[in-house]
Amino acid sequence: MQIMGCKGLLSFICLTGYLCSRAFCDGPYQPNWKSLDSRPLPSWYDESKFGIFIHWGVFSVPSFGSEWFWWHWKESKEPSYVAFMEKNYPPGFEYSEFAPEFTATFFNPDQWAELFEESGARYVVLTSKHHEGFTNWGSPVSWNWNSIDTGPHRDLVGDLAAAVRRRKLYYGVYHSLIEWFNPLFLYDKLNKFKTQKFVVEKTLPELYELVMRYKPDIIWSDGDWEGPDTYWNSTGFLAWLYNDSPVKDTVVTNDRWGVGCACKHGGFYDCRDKYSPHALQNHKWEMCTSVDKRSWGYRRNMMMSDLMDLPSLLTNLLDTIAYGGNFLLNIGPTKDGIIAPIFEERLRGLGQWLRVNGEAIYASTPWRVQKENSTNIIWYTSKGSSVYGIFTKWPIDNILQLESPKTFPNTTVTMLGIPKPLKWTTSPTKGLLISLSPLSPYTAPSKNGWTVKMEGVS
């Protein structure tokens, strides 16, 4: 099986003929994992720390169960999905008939971008195409199953890209390799992925077009569990992306490029949904999770108990950043393009916390101790000579004990949001005792969590 796609726009033109291939690239990165994995991760990604994930598509119309609605209804035939359709839609109703109802009537990309900026996120990732195959832009290889030809009749990927970039946020696109019910994909699957009709006629043209048209900062690939990377020609595409594409110096990619690639190859590792190793890793990683614990797409039947509250989101963020990861938080808009008020409340709550404590998050690095469990749970980060200790439970006696830092006569301690130094003493056992008086959790500069900044500790 040959590797395709290594020479910029010329390769893209060749690919549209479905016959052009190259066994090498002229740039520094060759179409093999040893070479591709040697590429340094652009620094902006690690420094950004926090991003917003958006699952939006035709699945937002039934908005029942999850974004896997079509699969659960037609393929696995789960009883709740079958019953939902029998109760609410006429016999013979097809999934494609949902598309005209995906209207995005109230979609205001500038309002979305304002919310994402206020959340404290530094990057945004939108589903350009989920496993259902519907593209949120006018893909020429997705005839009548895209957001220009039906539904919104607008370029959702492009409209949000422009709004997000006006706010100086980075912009990425999620793209599913597979399409559950595409005949070309099913043909290749039947042939045990020895043929590549779907890859050359659908997947690769879409990926090249997304790069050339929108110049994304992130390509978040998914649908990697069927077919090896050689079937998808992943290394050929990535070699072109890193060598010759218009985003070759800035783009970052994840690890979902074919069976066996997750947690092994790629720019940063997702490994699996909601991956959280709770230990330092030797490769940059990301935790992606969702405010709705049961779905990535919007659900009309979600309950308050299904949603992560602000303290839980903050704990997830701290568990991720302390161990060197990035935190990608998902929300699912409605078919009309509305972000539910409860999702907005969660995002703005995170933003309020980050406005005070962001110094300990953005561009930080893991400290020699990442987390301690003593009288209180403390998460640590560092930046230059500064060490930050973050806690979410205010001590009853107003004395915060930190066991890990080693103090010196010149050690100083402050709380982010308050310029006046805090008094401290050496602990009789180890570490230091910080007096938080006269502050209280009600008068401190942030809610749900606080950060002490230490200078002159080791």
Side-chain angles (χ1 to χ4, degrees):
M1 188 177 293
Q2 294 177 307
I3 298 174
M4 292 185 260
C6 298
K7 196 58 181 171
L9 186 58
L10 177 60
S11 259
F12 177 63
I13 294 171
C14 292
L15 274 168
T16 59
Y18 313 131
L19 294 173
C20 178
S21 65
R22 294 176 63 90
F24 62 90
C25 299
D26 294 336
Y29 301 106
Q30 298 299 306
N32 62 72
W33 287 119
K34 182 178 180 180
S35 177
L36 297 170
D37 289 343
S38 71
R39 177 181 182 256
L41 189 73
S43 60
W44 73 261
Y45 176 77
D46 178 60
E47 294 168 359
S48 296
K49 301 299 183 186
F50 174 38
I52 299 297
F53 210 3
I54 308 163
H55 275 66
W56 200 28
V58 173
F59 51 80
S60 306
V61 176
S63 52
F64 175 85
S66 81
E67 70 289 344
W68 277 54
F69 183 92
W70 195 3
W71 178 269
H72 292 319
W73 171 34
K74 285 296 188 180
E75 185 65 25
S76 59
K77 302 185 187 303
E78 295 190 16
S80 62
Y81 290 79
V82 174
F84 173 83
M85 291 303 298
E86 290 177 348
K87 180 179 179 180
N88 296 286
Y89 295 90
F93 188 93
E94 297 293 335
Y95 188 80
S96 59
E97 294 179 74
F98 283 129
E101 297 182 54
F102 179 41
T103 60
T105 302
F106 302 113
F107 172 47
N108 185 325
D110 290 311
Q111 286 183 350
W112 283 25
E114 181 273 335
L115 172 60
F116 301 152
E117 181 183 39
E118 286 298 303
S119 77
R122 296 292 174 86
Y123 61 98
V124 176
V125 180
L126 173 69
T127 45
S128 67
K129 184 193 76 173
H130 201 256
H131 314 319
E132 65 188 11
F134 186 91
T135 64
N136 281 330
W137 85 101
S139 169
V141 293
S142 190
W143 179 82
N144 208 37
W145 194 232
N146 65 74
S147 65
I148 297 293
D149 292 344
T150 187
H153 297 293
R154 62 188 292 186
D155 181 356
L156 303 178
V157 175
D159 289 351
L160 187 59
V164 161
R165 284 168 170 157
R166 281 194 291 270
R167 298 277 177 169
K168 308 302 181 185
L169 304 179
Y170 293 96
Y171 186 66
V173 290
Y174 164 108
H175 178 269
S176 173
L177 297 173
I178 70 166
E179 294 179 20
W180 289 315
F181 302 112
N182 187 301
L184 296 177
F185 176 69
L186 296 177
Y187 173 83
D188 287 347
K189 185 175 180 178
L190 184 64
N191 290 327
K192 302 184 184 302
F193 301 110
K194 301 300 183 183
T195 56
Q196 292 180 290
K197 288 182 67 65
F198 179 70
V199 175
V200 297
E201 296 183 32
K202 193 68 164 63
T203 303
L204 283 177
E206 284 178 346
L207 283 168
Y208 278 87
E209 185 187 19
L210 283 168
V211 173
M212 298 305 293
R213 179 179 290 192
Y214 303 110
K215 300 175 177 58
D217 301 298
I218 301 172
I219 296 181
W220 212 102
S221 183
D222 197 15
D224 57 318
W225 56 85
E226 294 203 66
D229 63 274
T230 50
Y231 165 71
W232 298 109
N233 284 299
S234 298
T235 56
F237 169 73
L238 291 172
W240 169 82
L241 185 71
Y242 296 165
N243 288 325
D244 298 311
S245 79
V247 293
K248 60 185 177 66
D249 297 322
T250 56
V251 71
V252 297
T253 63
N254 67 342
D255 57 351
R256 301 184 183 188
W257 294 100
V259 173
C261 289
C263 237
K264 186 176 180 181
H265 299 300
F268 62 88
Y269 293 168
D270 283 292
C271 298
R272 58 184 178 274
D273 290 350
K274 304 184 180 182
Y275 174 67
S276 184
H278 295 281
L280 283 179
Q281 304 296 295
N282 58 14
H283 192 96
K284 183 63 185 180
W285 61 280
E286 178 184 75
M287 180 197 187
C288 61
T289 191
S290 185
V291 176
D292 182 350
K293 293 178 286 188
R294 297 179 58 187
S295 177
W296 300 87
Y298 178 74
R299 293 185 304 127
R300 288 178 287 170
N301 59 330
M302 67 181 176
M303 306 293 289
M304 186 64 75
S305 59
D306 297 331
L307 306 179
M308 295 182 71
D309 60 17
L310 186 56
S312 298
L313 291 171
L314 183 57
T315 298
N316 272 245
L317 172 70
L318 296 174
D319 276 335
T320 301
I321 304 304
Y323 293 110
N326 272 28
F327 186 61
L328 185 63
L329 181 62
N330 176 78
I331 50 98
T334 69
K335 65 177 183 177
D336 310 295
I338 294 174
I339 295 174
I342 192 65
F343 293 159
E344 179 177 351
E345 185 269 344
R346 296 292 192 267
L347 296 187
R348 292 193 185 276
L350 280 174
Q352 290 169 0
W353 189 88
L354 284 165
R355 276 193 289 278
V356 175
N357 300 279
E359 180 184 332
I361 303 298
Y362 305 117
S364 66
T365 56
W367 194 46
R368 63 175 177 83
V369 175
Q370 295 80 54
K371 186 178 181 180
E372 70 178 43
N373 292 276
S374 53
T375 56
N376 203 342
I377 298 176
I378 311 293
W379 292 266
Y380 290 101
T381 64
S382 64
K383 188 185 300 180
S385 63
S386 303
V387 176
Y388 303 91
I390 308 167
F391 59 104
T392 58
K393 181 181 178 182
W394 194 276
I396 296 175
D397 59 2
N398 265 20
I399 301 296
L400 179 67
Q401 180 177 0
L402 305 183
E403 295 186 346
S404 301
K406 298 177 181 179
T407 62
F408 300 90
N410 66 336
T411 296
T412 60
V413 181
T414 56
M415 177 175 284
L416 292 186
I418 297 177
K420 186 177 180 179
L422 298 175
K423 295 180 180 180
W424 66 273
T425 60
T426 302
S427 172
T429 53
K430 59 180 178 178
L432 71 162
L433 301 173
I434 302 170
S435 174
L436 301 178
S437 297
L439 297 173
S440 76
Y442 308 104
T443 60
S446 61
K447 299 182 184 300
N448 299 300
W450 307 270
T451 304
V452 291
K453 178 181 179 179
M454 293 165 281
E455 298 285 355
V457 299
S458 66

